[in-house]
Coordinates of all heavy atoms in Angstrom, one line a residue:
M6 N -15.6 0.2 6.5 CA -15.2 -1.0 5.8 C -13.7 -1.1 5.8 O -13.0 -0.1 5.4 CB -15.8 -0.9 4.4 CG -15.4 -2.0 3.5 SD -16.3 -1.9 1.9 CE -16.4 -3.6 1.6
L7 N -13.2 -2.3 6.1 CA -11.8 -2.5 6.0 C -11.4 -3.2 4.7 O -12.1 -4.2 4.3 CB -11.3 -3.3 7.2 CG -11.4 -2.7 8.5 CD1 -11.0 -3.7 9.6 CD2 -10.6 -1.4 8.6
I8 N -10.4 -2.7 4.0 CA -10.0 -3.3 2.7 C -8.5 -3.5 2.8 O -7.7 -2.7 3.2 CB -10.3 -2.3 1.5 CG1 -11.7 -1.8 1.5 CG2 -9.8 -2.8 0.2 CD1 -12.7 -2.9 1.0
A9 N -8.1 -4.7 2.4 CA -6.7 -5.1 2.3 C -6.2 -4.8 0.9 O -6.8 -5.2 -0.1 CB -6.4 -6.5 2.6
L10 N -5.1 -4.0 0.8 CA -4.5 -3.7 -0.4 C -3.2 -4.4 -0.4 O -2.3 -4.2 0.5 CB -4.2 -2.1 -0.5 CG -3.5 -1.6 -1.8 CD1 -3.9 -0.2 -2.0 CD2 -2.0 -1.8 -1.8
I11 N -3.0 -5.3 -1.3 CA -1.8 -6.1 -1.4 C -1.1 -5.8 -2.7 O -1.7 -6.1 -3.8 CB -2.0 -7.6 -1.3 CG1 -2.8 -7.9 0.0 CG2 -0.7 -8.4 -1.4 CD1 -3.4 -9.3 0.1
A12 N 0.0 -5.2 -2.7 CA 0.7 -4.7 -3.9 C 2.1 -5.4 -4.0 O 2.8 -5.5 -3.0 CB 0.9 -3.2 -3.9
R13 N 2.4 -5.8 -5.1 CA 3.7 -6.4 -5.4 C 4.5 -5.5 -6.3 O 4.0 -5.0 -7.4 CB 3.6 -7.8 -6.1 CG 2.7 -8.8 -5.3 CD 3.5 -9.4 -4.2 NE 2.6 -10.3 -3.5 CZ 3.0 -11.0 -2.5 NH1 4.2 -10.9 -2.0 NH2 2.2 -11.9 -1.9
D14 N 5.7 -5.2 -5.9 CA 6.6 -4.3 -6.7 C 7.0 -5.0 -8.0 O 7.2 -6.2 -8.1 CB 7.8 -3.9 -6.0 CG 7.5 -3.0 -4.7 OD1 6.3 -2.7 -4.5 OD2 8.5 -2.7 -4.0
K15 N 7.3 -4.2 -9.0 CA 7.9 -4.7 -10.2 C 9.3 -5.1 -9.9 O 10.0 -4.6 -9.0 CB 8.0 -3.6 -11.3 CG 6.7 -3.1 -11.8 CD 6.9 -2.0 -12.8 CE 5.5 -1.5 -13.4 NZ 5.6 -0.3 -14.2
P16 N 9.8 -6.2 -10.5 CA 11.2 -6.6 -10.3 C 12.2 -5.5 -10.5 O 12.1 -4.7 -11.4 CB 11.4 -7.8 -11.3 CG 10.0 -8.2 -11.6 CD 9.2 -7.0 -11.5
G17 N 13.2 -5.4 -9.6 CA 14.2 -4.4 -9.7 C 13.8 -3.0 -9.4 O 14.5 -2.0 -9.8
A18 N 12.7 -2.8 -8.7 CA 12.1 -1.5 -8.5 C 12.4 -0.9 -7.1 O 11.7 0.1 -6.7 CB 10.6 -1.5 -8.8
L19 N 13.3 -1.5 -6.4 CA 13.6 -1.0 -5.0 C 13.9 0.5 -5.0 O 13.4 1.2 -4.1 CB 14.7 -1.8 -4.4 CG 15.0 -1.5 -2.9 CD1 13.8 -1.6 -2.0 CD2 16.1 -2.4 -2.4
Q20 N 14.7 1.0 -5.9 CA 15.1 2.4 -5.9 C 13.8 3.3 -6.1 O 13.7 4.3 -5.5 CB 16.2 2.7 -6.9 CG 16.8 4.1 -6.8 CD 17.4 4.3 -5.4 OE1 18.2 3.4 -4.9 NE2 17.0 5.3 -4.7
T21 N 12.9 2.8 -7.0 CA 11.7 3.6 -7.2 C 10.9 3.7 -5.9 O 10.4 4.7 -5.5 CB 10.8 2.9 -8.3 OG1 11.5 2.9 -9.5 CG2 9.5 3.7 -8.5
R22 N 10.9 2.6 -5.1 CA 10.2 2.6 -3.8 C 10.9 3.6 -2.9 O 10.2 4.4 -2.3 CB 10.2 1.2 -3.2 CG 9.7 1.1 -1.8 CD 9.6 -0.3 -1.3 NE 8.4 -1.0 -1.9 CZ 7.2 -0.9 -1.3 NH1 7.0 -0.2 -0.2 NH2 6.2 -1.6 -1.9
K23 N 12.2 3.5 -2.8 CA 13.0 4.4 -1.9 C 12.8 5.9 -2.3 O 12.6 6.7 -1.5 CB 14.4 4.0 -1.9 CG 14.7 2.7 -1.2 CD 16.2 2.4 -1.2 CE 16.5 1.1 -0.5 NZ 17.9 0.7 -0.5
D24 N 12.8 6.1 -3.6 CA 12.7 7.5 -4.1 C 11.3 8.1 -3.8 O 11.2 9.4 -3.7 CB 12.9 7.6 -5.6 CG 14.4 7.3 -6.0 OD1 15.3 7.3 -5.1 OD2 14.6 7.0 -7.2
N25 N 10.3 7.3 -3.7 CA 8.9 7.8 -3.5 C 8.4 7.6 -2.1 O 7.2 7.9 -1.8 CB 8.0 7.2 -4.5 CG 8.3 7.7 -5.9 OD1 7.9 8.8 -6.3 ND2 9.1 7.0 -6.7
R26 N 9.2 7.0 -1.2 CA 8.8 6.6 0.1 C 8.3 7.8 0.9 O 7.2 7.7 1.6 CB 9.9 5.9 0.9 CG 9.4 5.2 2.2 CD 10.3 4.2 2.6 NE 9.7 3.2 3.5 CZ 9.7 3.3 4.8 NH1 10.4 4.2 5.4 NH2 9.1 2.4 5.5
D27 N 9.0 8.9 0.9 CA 8.5 10.1 1.7 C 7.2 10.6 1.3 O 6.3 10.9 2.1 CB 9.5 11.2 1.7 CG 10.8 10.9 2.4 OD1 10.8 10.0 3.3 OD2 11.8 11.6 2.2
D28 N 7.0 10.7 0.0 CA 5.7 11.1 -0.6 C 4.6 10.1 -0.2 O 3.4 10.5 0.1 CB 5.7 11.3 -2.1 CG 6.6 12.5 -2.5 OD1 6.8 13.4 -1.7 OD2 7.0 12.5 -3.7
H29 N 4.9 8.8 -0.3 CA 3.9 7.8 0.1 C 3.5 7.9 1.6 O 2.3 7.9 1.9 CB 4.6 6.4 -0.2 CG 3.8 5.2 0.4 ND1 2.6 4.8 -0.1 CD2 4.1 4.4 1.5 CE1 2.2 3.7 0.6 NE2 3.1 3.5 1.6
L30 N 4.5 8.1 2.5 CA 4.2 8.2 3.9 C 3.4 9.5 4.2 O 2.5 9.5 5.0 CB 5.5 8.2 4.7 CG 6.2 6.8 4.7 CD1 7.5 6.9 5.4 CD2 5.3 5.7 5.2
Q31 N 3.7 10.6 3.4 CA 2.9 11.8 3.6 C 1.5 11.6 3.1 O 0.6 12.1 3.8 CB 3.6 13.0 2.8 CG 2.9 14.3 3.0 CD 3.6 15.4 2.2 OE1 4.7 15.2 1.7 NE2 3.0 16.6 2.2
Y32 N 1.3 10.9 2.0 CA 0.0 10.6 1.5 C -0.8 9.8 2.6 O -2.0 10.1 2.8 CB 0.1 9.8 0.2 CG -1.2 9.4 -0.4 CD1 -2.0 10.4 -1.0 CD2 -1.6 8.1 -0.6 CE1 -3.2 10.0 -1.7 CE2 -2.7 7.7 -1.2 CZ -3.5 8.7 -1.8 OH -4.7 8.3 -2.4
I33 N -0.2 8.8 3.2 CA -0.9 8.1 4.3 C -1.3 9.0 5.4 O -2.5 9.0 5.8 CB 0.1 7.0 4.8 CG1 0.2 5.9 3.8 CG2 -0.4 6.4 6.1 CD1 1.2 4.8 4.1
A34 N -0.4 9.9 5.8 CA -0.7 10.8 6.9 C -1.9 11.8 6.5 O -2.8 12.0 7.3 CB 0.5 11.6 7.3
E35 N -1.8 12.3 5.3 CA -2.8 13.3 4.9 C -4.2 12.7 4.6 O -5.2 13.4 4.9 CB -2.3 14.0 3.6 CG -1.1 14.9 3.8 CD -0.6 15.4 2.5 OE1 -1.1 15.0 1.4 OE2 0.3 16.3 2.5
T36 N -4.3 11.5 4.1 CA -5.6 10.9 3.8 C -6.3 10.4 5.0 O -7.5 10.3 5.0 CB -5.4 9.8 2.7 OG1 -4.6 8.8 3.3 CG2 -4.9 10.4 1.4
G37 N -5.6 9.9 6.0 CA -6.2 9.4 7.2 C -7.0 8.1 7.0 O -7.8 7.7 7.8
A38 N -6.8 7.4 5.9 CA -7.6 6.2 5.5 C -6.9 4.9 5.9 O -7.5 3.9 5.8 CB -7.9 6.2 4.0
V39 N -5.6 5.0 6.4 CA -4.9 3.8 6.6 C -5.0 3.3 8.0 O -4.7 4.1 9.0 CB -3.4 4.0 6.2 CG1 -2.6 2.8 6.6 CG2 -3.3 4.3 4.8
F40 N -5.5 2.1 8.2 CA -5.7 1.5 9.5 C -4.4 0.8 10.0 O -4.0 1.0 11.1 CB -6.8 0.4 9.4 CG -7.1 -0.3 10.6 CD1 -7.8 0.3 11.7 CD2 -6.8 -1.7 10.7 CE1 -8.1 -0.4 12.8 CE2 -7.2 -2.4 11.9 CZ -7.8 -1.7 12.9
Q41 N -3.7 0.1 9.1 CA -2.4 -0.5 9.3 C -1.7 -0.6 8.0 O -2.3 -0.7 7.0 CB -2.6 -1.9 9.9 CG -3.1 -2.0 11.3 CD -3.2 -3.5 11.7 OE1 -3.4 -4.4 10.9 NE2 -3.0 -3.7 13.0
A42 N -0.3 -0.6 8.1 CA 0.4 -0.7 6.8 C 1.8 -1.1 7.1 O 2.4 -0.9 8.2 CB 0.4 0.6 6.1
G43 N 2.5 -1.7 6.1 CA 3.9 -2.0 6.1 C 4.3 -2.7 4.9 O 3.5 -3.2 4.1
P44 N 5.6 -2.7 4.6 CA 6.1 -3.3 3.4 C 6.2 -4.8 3.5 O 6.4 -5.4 4.6 CB 7.6 -2.7 3.3 CG 8.0 -2.5 4.7 CD 6.7 -2.1 5.4
L45 N 6.0 -5.4 2.3 CA 6.3 -6.9 2.2 C 7.8 -7.0 2.0 O 8.4 -6.1 1.4 CB 5.5 -7.4 1.0 CG 4.0 -7.3 1.1 CD1 3.4 -7.9 -0.2 CD2 3.4 -8.0 2.3
L46 N 8.4 -8.1 2.4 CA 9.8 -8.3 2.3 C 10.2 -9.5 1.5 O 9.4 -10.5 1.6 CB 10.5 -8.4 3.7 CG 10.2 -7.3 4.7 CD1 10.8 -7.6 6.1 CD2 10.7 -5.9 4.1
D47 N 11.3 -9.5 0.8 CA 11.7 -10.6 0.0 C 12.6 -11.5 0.9 O 12.8 -11.2 2.1 CB 12.4 -10.2 -1.3 CG 13.7 -9.4 -1.1 OD1 14.2 -9.4 0.0 OD2 14.1 -8.8 -2.1
E48 N 13.2 -12.5 0.4 CA 14.0 -13.4 1.2 C 15.3 -12.8 1.8 O 15.8 -13.2 2.8 CB 14.4 -14.7 0.3 CG 13.2 -15.6 0.0 CD 13.6 -16.7 -0.9 OE1 14.8 -16.9 -1.1 OE2 12.7 -17.5 -1.3
A49 N 15.7 -11.7 1.1 CA 16.9 -11.0 1.6 C 16.5 -9.9 2.6 O 17.4 -9.2 3.1 CB 17.6 -10.4 0.4
G50 N 15.2 -9.8 2.9 CA 14.8 -8.7 3.8 C 14.6 -7.4 3.2 O 14.4 -6.4 3.9
E51 N 14.6 -7.3 1.9 CA 14.4 -6.0 1.2 C 12.9 -5.8 0.9 O 12.2 -6.8 0.7 CB 15.2 -6.0 -0.1 CG 16.7 -6.0 0.0 CD 17.3 -4.7 0.5 OE1 16.5 -3.7 0.5 OE2 18.4 -4.7 0.9
M52 N 12.5 -4.6 0.9 CA 11.1 -4.2 0.6 C 10.8 -4.6 -0.9 O 11.6 -4.4 -1.8 CB 10.9 -2.7 0.8 CG 11.0 -2.3 2.2 SD 10.8 -0.5 2.4 CE 12.3 0.1 1.6
C53 N 9.6 -5.3 -1.1 CA 9.3 -5.8 -2.4 C 7.8 -5.6 -2.7 O 7.3 -6.1 -3.7 CB 9.7 -7.2 -2.6 SG 8.8 -8.4 -1.5
G54 N 7.1 -5.0 -1.8 CA 5.6 -4.8 -2.0 C 5.0 -4.1 -0.7 O 5.8 -3.7 0.1
S55 N 3.7 -4.0 -0.7 CA 3.0 -3.3 0.4 C 1.8 -4.1 0.8 O 1.1 -4.7 0.0 CB 2.6 -1.9 -0.1 OG 3.7 -1.1 -0.4
L56 N 1.5 -4.1 2.1 CA 0.3 -4.5 2.7 C -0.3 -3.3 3.4 O 0.3 -2.8 4.3 CB 0.4 -5.7 3.6 CG -0.8 -6.1 4.4 CD1 -2.0 -6.5 3.5 CD2 -0.5 -7.2 5.4
V57 N -1.4 -2.8 2.9 CA -2.1 -1.7 3.5 C -3.5 -2.0 3.8 O -4.2 -2.5 3.0 CB -2.1 -0.5 2.5 CG1 -2.7 0.8 3.2 CG2 -0.7 -0.1 2.1
I58 N -3.9 -1.8 5.1 CA -5.3 -2.0 5.5 C -6.0 -0.7 5.5 O -5.6 0.2 6.3 CB -5.4 -2.7 6.8 CG1 -4.7 -4.0 6.9 CG2 -6.9 -2.9 7.2 CD1 -5.1 -5.1 5.9
L59 N -6.9 -0.5 4.6 CA -7.6 0.8 4.5 C -8.9 0.8 5.3 O -9.6 -0.3 5.3 CB -7.9 1.1 3.0 CG -6.7 1.3 2.1 CD1 -7.1 1.3 0.7 CD2 -5.9 2.6 2.5
E60 N -9.3 1.8 5.9 CA -10.6 2.0 6.5 C -11.3 3.1 5.8 O -11.1 4.2 5.9 CB -10.4 2.3 8.0 CG -11.8 2.3 8.8 CD -11.6 2.3 10.3 OE1 -10.5 2.7 10.8 OE2 -12.6 2.0 11.0
V61 N -12.2 2.6 4.9 CA -12.9 3.5 3.9 C -14.3 3.1 3.8 O -14.8 2.1 4.4 CB -12.2 3.4 2.5 CG1 -10.8 4.0 2.5 CG2 -12.2 2.0 2.0
E62 N -15.1 4.0 3.2 CA -16.5 3.8 3.0 C -16.9 2.6 2.2 O -17.8 1.8 2.5 CB -17.2 5.1 2.5 CG -18.7 5.0 2.5 CD -19.3 6.3 2.1 OE1 -18.8 7.4 2.6 OE2 -20.3 6.3 1.4
D63 N -16.2 2.4 1.1 CA -16.5 1.3 0.1 C -15.4 1.0 -0.8 O -14.3 1.6 -0.7 CB -17.8 1.7 -0.7 CG -17.6 3.0 -1.4 OD1 -16.5 3.5 -1.7 OD2 -18.7 3.7 -1.7
M64 N -15.5 0.0 -1.6 CA -14.5 -0.4 -2.5 C -14.0 0.7 -3.5 O -12.9 0.8 -3.8 CB -14.9 -1.7 -3.3 CG -13.8 -2.3 -4.0 SD -12.4 -2.9 -3.0 CE -13.1 -4.4 -2.3
A65 N -15.0 1.5 -3.9 CA -14.6 2.6 -4.8 C -13.7 3.6 -4.1 O -12.7 4.1 -4.7 CB -15.9 3.4 -5.2
A66 N -13.9 3.9 -2.8 CA -13.0 4.7 -2.1 C -11.6 4.1 -1.9 O -10.6 4.8 -2.0 CB -13.6 5.1 -0.7
A67 N -11.6 2.8 -1.7 CA -10.3 2.1 -1.7 C -9.6 2.2 -3.0 O -8.3 2.4 -3.0 CB -10.5 0.6 -1.3
Q68 N -10.3 2.0 -4.1 CA -9.6 2.1 -5.4 C -9.1 3.5 -5.7 O -8.0 3.7 -6.2 CB -10.6 1.7 -6.5 CG -10.0 1.6 -7.9 CD -9.0 0.6 -8.0 OE1 -9.3 -0.6 -7.8 NE2 -7.7 0.9 -8.3
A69 N -9.9 4.5 -5.3 CA -9.4 5.9 -5.4 C -8.2 6.1 -4.6 O -7.2 6.8 -5.1 CB -10.6 6.8 -5.0
W70 N -8.1 5.6 -3.4 CA -6.9 5.8 -2.5 C -5.7 5.1 -3.2 O -4.7 5.7 -3.3 CB -7.2 5.2 -1.1 CG -6.1 5.5 -0.2 CD1 -6.0 6.6 0.7 CD2 -4.8 4.9 -0.1 NE1 -4.8 6.6 1.3 CE2 -4.1 5.6 0.9 CE3 -4.2 3.8 -0.6 CZ2 -2.8 5.2 1.3 CZ3 -2.9 3.4 -0.3 CH2 -2.2 4.1 0.7
A71 N -5.9 3.9 -3.7 CA -4.9 3.1 -4.3 C -4.4 3.9 -5.6 O -3.1 3.9 -5.8 CB -5.4 1.7 -4.7
D72 N -5.3 4.4 -6.4 CA -4.9 5.1 -7.6 C -4.1 6.4 -7.3 O -3.2 6.8 -8.0 CB -6.1 5.5 -8.4 CG -6.8 4.3 -9.0 OD1 -6.2 3.2 -9.1 OD2 -8.0 4.4 -9.4
G73 N -4.4 7.0 -6.1 CA -3.7 8.3 -5.7 C -2.4 8.1 -5.0 O -1.6 9.0 -4.8
D74 N -2.1 6.9 -4.6 CA -0.8 6.6 -3.9 C 0.4 7.0 -4.7 O 0.5 6.5 -5.9 CB -0.8 5.1 -3.5 CG 0.4 4.7 -2.7 OD1 1.3 5.5 -2.4 OD2 0.4 3.5 -2.3
P75 N 1.3 7.7 -4.2 CA 2.5 8.1 -4.9 C 3.3 6.9 -5.5 O 3.9 7.0 -6.5 CB 3.3 8.9 -3.9 CG 2.3 9.5 -3.1 CD 1.2 8.5 -2.9
Y76 N 3.3 5.8 -4.8 CA 3.9 4.6 -5.3 C 3.3 4.1 -6.6 O 3.9 3.8 -7.5 CB 3.8 3.4 -4.3 CG 4.8 3.4 -3.1 CD1 4.6 2.6 -2.0 CD2 5.9 4.2 -3.2 CE1 5.5 2.6 -1.0 CE2 6.9 4.2 -2.1 CZ 6.7 3.4 -1.0 OH 7.6 3.4 0.0
A77 N 1.9 4.1 -6.6 CA 1.2 3.7 -7.8 C 1.5 4.7 -8.9 O 1.7 4.3 -10.1 CB -0.3 3.6 -7.5
R78 N 1.4 6.0 -8.6 CA 1.7 7.0 -9.6 C 3.1 7.0 -10.2 O 3.3 7.3 -11.4 CB 1.4 8.4 -9.1 CG -0.1 8.6 -8.8 CD -0.5 10.1 -8.5 NE 0.5 10.9 -8.0 CZ 0.6 11.3 -6.7 NH1 -0.2 10.9 -5.8 NH2 1.6 12.1 -6.3
A79 N 4.0 6.4 -9.4 CA 5.4 6.3 -9.9 C 5.6 5.0 -10.7 O 6.7 4.8 -11.2 CB 6.4 6.3 -8.7
G80 N 4.6 4.2 -10.8 CA 4.7 3.0 -11.6 C 5.4 1.9 -10.8 O 6.0 1.0 -11.5
L81 N 5.4 1.9 -9.5 CA 6.2 0.9 -8.7 C 5.6 -0.5 -8.8 O 6.3 -1.5 -8.8 CB 6.2 1.4 -7.2 CG 6.8 0.4 -6.2 CD1 8.3 0.1 -6.5 CD2 6.6 0.9 -4.8
F82 N 4.3 -0.6 -8.9 CA 3.7 -1.9 -8.7 C 3.5 -2.7 -9.9 O 3.1 -2.2 -11.0 CB 2.3 -1.7 -8.0 CG 2.4 -1.1 -6.7 CD1 1.5 0.0 -6.3 CD2 3.3 -1.5 -5.7 CE1 1.5 0.6 -5.1 CE2 3.3 -0.9 -4.4 CZ 2.5 0.1 -4.2
Q83 N 3.8 -4.0 -9.8 CA 3.5 -5.0 -10.8 C 2.0 -5.4 -10.8 O 1.4 -5.7 -11.8 CB 4.4 -6.2 -10.7 CG 4.2 -7.3 -11.6 CD 5.2 -8.4 -11.5 OE1 6.4 -8.2 -11.3 NE2 4.7 -9.7 -11.5
S84 N 1.5 -5.5 -9.5 CA 0.1 -5.9 -9.3 C -0.4 -5.3 -8.0 O 0.4 -5.0 -7.1 CB 0.0 -7.4 -9.2 OG 0.6 -7.9 -8.1
V85 N -1.7 -5.0 -8.0 CA -2.4 -4.5 -6.8 C -3.7 -5.2 -6.7 O -4.5 -5.3 -7.7 CB -2.7 -3.0 -6.9 CG1 -3.5 -2.5 -5.7 CG2 -1.4 -2.2 -7.1
E86 N -3.9 -5.8 -5.5 CA -5.2 -6.5 -5.2 C -5.9 -5.8 -4.1 O -5.3 -5.5 -3.1 CB -4.9 -7.9 -4.9 CG -6.1 -8.7 -4.5 CD -5.8 -10.1 -4.0 OE1 -4.6 -10.5 -4.1 OE2 -6.7 -10.8 -3.5
L87 N -7.2 -5.5 -4.2 CA -8.0 -5.0 -3.2 C -9.0 -6.0 -2.8 O -9.7 -6.6 -3.6 CB -8.7 -3.7 -3.6 CG -7.9 -2.5 -4.0 CD1 -8.7 -1.4 -4.6 CD2 -7.2 -2.0 -2.7
S88 N -9.1 -6.3 -1.5 CA -10.1 -7.3 -1.0 C -10.7 -6.9 0.3 O -9.9 -6.3 1.2 CB -9.3 -8.6 -0.8 OG -10.2 -9.6 -0.3
A89 N -12.0 -7.0 0.5 CA -12.6 -6.7 1.8 C -11.9 -7.6 2.8 O -11.5 -8.8 2.6 CB -14.1 -7.0 1.7
W90 N -11.7 -7.0 4.0 CA -11.0 -7.7 5.1 C -11.7 -7.6 6.4 O -12.3 -6.5 6.7 CB -9.6 -7.1 5.2 CG -8.7 -7.7 6.2 CD1 -8.0 -8.9 6.0 CD2 -8.2 -7.2 7.4 NE1 -7.2 -9.1 7.1 CE2 -7.3 -8.1 8.0 CE3 -8.5 -6.0 8.1 CZ2 -6.7 -7.9 9.2 CZ3 -7.9 -5.8 9.3 CH2 -7.0 -6.7 9.9
K91 N -11.7 -8.6 7.2 CA -12.3 -8.5 8.6 C -11.2 -8.7 9.6 O -10.5 -9.8 9.6 CB -13.4 -9.6 8.7 CG -14.0 -9.6 10.0 CD -15.1 -10.7 10.1 CE -15.7 -10.8 11.4 NZ -16.7 -11.8 11.5
K92 N -11.1 -7.8 10.5 CA -10.2 -7.9 11.6 C -10.8 -8.9 12.7 O -11.9 -8.7 13.1 CB -10.0 -6.5 12.3 CG -9.0 -6.6 13.4 CD -8.8 -5.3 14.1 CE -8.0 -5.4 15.3 NZ -7.9 -4.2 16.1
V93 N -10.0 -9.9 13.0 CA -10.5 -10.9 14.0 C -9.5 -10.9 15.2 O -10.0 -10.9 16.4 CB -10.5 -12.3 13.4 CG1 -10.9 -13.3 14.4 CG2 -11.5 -12.3 12.2
I94 N -8.2 -10.8 15.0 CA -7.3 -10.8 16.1 C -6.4 -9.6 16.1 O -6.0 -9.1 15.0 CB -6.4 -12.1 16.0 CG1 -7.2 -13.3 16.1 CG2 -5.3 -12.1 17.0 CD1 -6.5 -14.6 15.8
G95 N -6.1 -9.0 17.2 CA -5.2 -7.9 17.3 C -6.0 -6.7 17.5 O -6.1 -5.6 17.2

């Protein structure tokens, strides 16, 4: 099952993102659940959120992955949305 995780950073939290980026990328590599991912960008081109496509068994597994993300544990996100997603193009 593919799940889109759309997370918006708290205002002014770019340094928190940078400080936890290596741990976040290591978590992605270790869990093997990420199908595609990348940062959302603001008008200035700075990272301000995340779009992560998870390939997991169910929504509970997606929530568990989201809860374990070092970004989430660091309090980076203002909001996180999980939604079933269907790949059509690409």
Side-chain angles (χ1 to χ4, degrees):
M6 167 176 218
L7 296 174
I8 305 290
L10 180 155
I11 303 166
R13 305 283 181 179
D14 295 357
K15 291 177 181 172
L19 182 58
Q20 192 59 51
T21 300
R22 175 175 281 276
K23 289 179 178 179
D24 291 345
N25 290 278
R26 191 161 201 262
D27 288 343
D28 290 342
H29 168 73
L30 294 175
Q31 183 177 353
Y32 181 68
I33 287 173
E35 289 175 354
T36 60
V39 176
F40 179 71
Q41 292 181 327
L45 301 175
L46 305 177
D47 64 16
E48 292 178 5
E51 295 288 347
M52 296 178 288
C53 65
S55 299
L56 171 60
V57 180
I58 306 298
L59 298 167
E60 190 167 16
V61 292
E62 187 172 321
D63 54 26
M64 190 62 75
Q68 185 65 61
W70 190 95
D72 292 344
D74 182 355
Y76 280 167
R78 292 194 332 258
L81 173 63
F82 300 132
Q83 178 175 316
S84 66
V85 176
E86 177 185 351
L87 294 170
S88 180
W90 182 75
K91 180 180 177 181
K92 180 182 175 189
V93 175
I94 298 172

